[in-house]
Amino acid sequence: MDIDSALNITLTMLQGAKITILVFLIVFSASIPLGFFVTLLGKSRFKPITWLVNIYITIMRGTPLILQLFFVYFALAYIPVIGPYIKLERMQAALLAFILNYAAYFAEIFRGGLMAIDKGQYEAAKVLGFNKIQTFIHIIIPQMIRVSLPALSNEAITLVKDTSLLYVISIAEISYVAKTAVSREASVFPLVIAGALYLLIILILTIILRFIEKKFSYASKSL
C-alpha cells in the first residue's frame, strides 16, 4: 500500500470516528437522565409501574444489543396498527436502540448507588430540617453519583466499543469504514488504524472520567 492510499484511508477513518464520537455523546447524554428516571419509577409504590420497569430492564439487559438494534431498525415497521407509521432512518433507529439499552444498565447502576447510601443519611437530614425533596437533591443524589461513578465510567467505555455494532445497519462509523477499506485494499492496515482510533478515544475518555471521579471524591471528603 502506497502513502497516498494510507493517507486517504486514515482521513476516511477519521470521518468514521466523528460518527462514533457523535453517537457516543448523544447516547451517553440521553441515557443517563433516562436511566435515572427509570430508577425513580422503579421505586414507585404503584406496583404496575414497578413491574413494567422490571420487565423493561430484564429485556434490555437479557437480550443482545445487536438484536435490539435489528428489531428497532427492521421489525418496528411490522408491528400491527402502529407499524406503518413508524419510519426511522438508520441513525434514528441506532440512537433509539442504544439509548433504551444503556438507560436500562444505568438504571441498575443508579439503583445500586441508592441502595449503598446508609439509612442514617435520611435520618440526619430529617434532624437538620430538610424535607424529602431537599434531602434527595442535596444529600442523596450527590452521594449516589459518587458511588455510581466507577460503574458509569465502565459503561461509558463499553459504549464506545459497542458503537462498532452500527456497521450491521451500514452506518459509516469506524468499524464500517475499516471493513470497507480492508475489502477494497486487500490489506489489514485499515484495521490497525481503526484499533488505534478506538484506543485513542477510550484513552481520552478514561482521563476525563478519572478526573471527574477525583473531583467528586474530593468534594465528598470536604463536606
Side-chain angles (χ1 to χ4, degrees):
M1 179 182 296
D2 57 34
I3 295 178
D4 288 339
S5 296
L7 181 60
N8 288 333
I9 291 173
T10 302
L11 292 175
T12 305
M13 204 78 70
L14 288 174
Q15 294 299 318
K18 290 181 181 179
I19 300 297
T20 295
I21 294 171
L22 177 63
V23 170
F24 166 79
L25 291 175
I26 294 174
V27 173
F28 194 72
S29 300
S31 55
I32 286 282
L34 179 58
F36 183 64
F37 180 66
V38 171
T39 299
L40 296 181
L41 288 179
K43 293 176 67 65
S44 172
R45 295 180 180 179
F46 188 55
K47 290 299 181 182
I49 292 180
T50 59
W51 292 339
L52 288 175
V53 167
N54 289 334
I55 291 171
Y56 160 69
I57 291 176
T58 299
I59 292 175
M60 290 296 106
R61 298 181 70 206
T63 57
L65 176 55
I66 192 171
L67 183 62
Q68 297 166 21
L69 189 58
F70 280 139
F71 180 84
V72 172
Y73 185 57
F74 294 109
L76 281 184
Y78 295 98
I79 296 177
V81 182
I82 65 172
Y85 300 98
I86 301 176
K87 295 181 179 180
L88 297 177
E89 301 294 332
R90 285 186 175 89
M91 184 60 75
Q92 293 172 331
L95 292 174
L96 178 60
F98 270 72
I99 289 170
L100 290 176
N101 178 275
Y102 271 84
Y105 281 92
F106 289 146
E108 283 295 278
I109 291 172
F110 288 137
R111 184 177 69 85
L114 288 175
M115 291 176 64
I117 298 174
D118 191 276
K119 298 293 183 182
Q121 297 289 331
Y122 295 90
E123 296 172 1
K126 188 176 181 180
V127 171
L128 291 172
F130 286 89
N131 59 37
K132 290 184 177 180
I133 295 177
Q134 290 173 326
T135 299
F136 195 69
I137 293 175
H138 298 292
I139 297 176
I140 303 305
I141 289 181
Q143 294 187 58
M144 179 202 70
I145 293 174
R146 180 178 59 81
V147 172
S148 302
L149 266 177
L152 291 174
S153 298
N154 288 335
E155 286 299 319
I157 292 171
T158 301
L159 173 56
V160 173
K161 294 183 286 187
D162 277 350
T163 58
S164 62
L165 296 175
L166 296 175
Y167 86 92
V168 300
I169 57 173
S170 301
I171 292 178
E173 46 71 57
I174 294 175
S175 295
Y176 181 85
V177 174
K179 180 178 178 294
T180 303
V182 166
S183 300
R184 184 180 64 249
E185 303 291 337
S187 170
V188 297
F189 181 70
L191 297 179
V192 175
I193 299 175
L197 285 175
Y198 279 118
L199 283 172
L200 179 60
I201 293 170
I202 290 174
L203 177 61
I204 294 172
L205 179 61
T206 300
I207 293 172
I208 294 172
L209 292 172
R210 285 181 179 174
F211 174 78
I212 294 173
E213 287 181 28
K214 287 181 180 179
K215 283 292 184 182
F216 265 89
S217 178
Y218 176 78
S220 65
K221 289 179 182 178
S222 62
L223 291 176

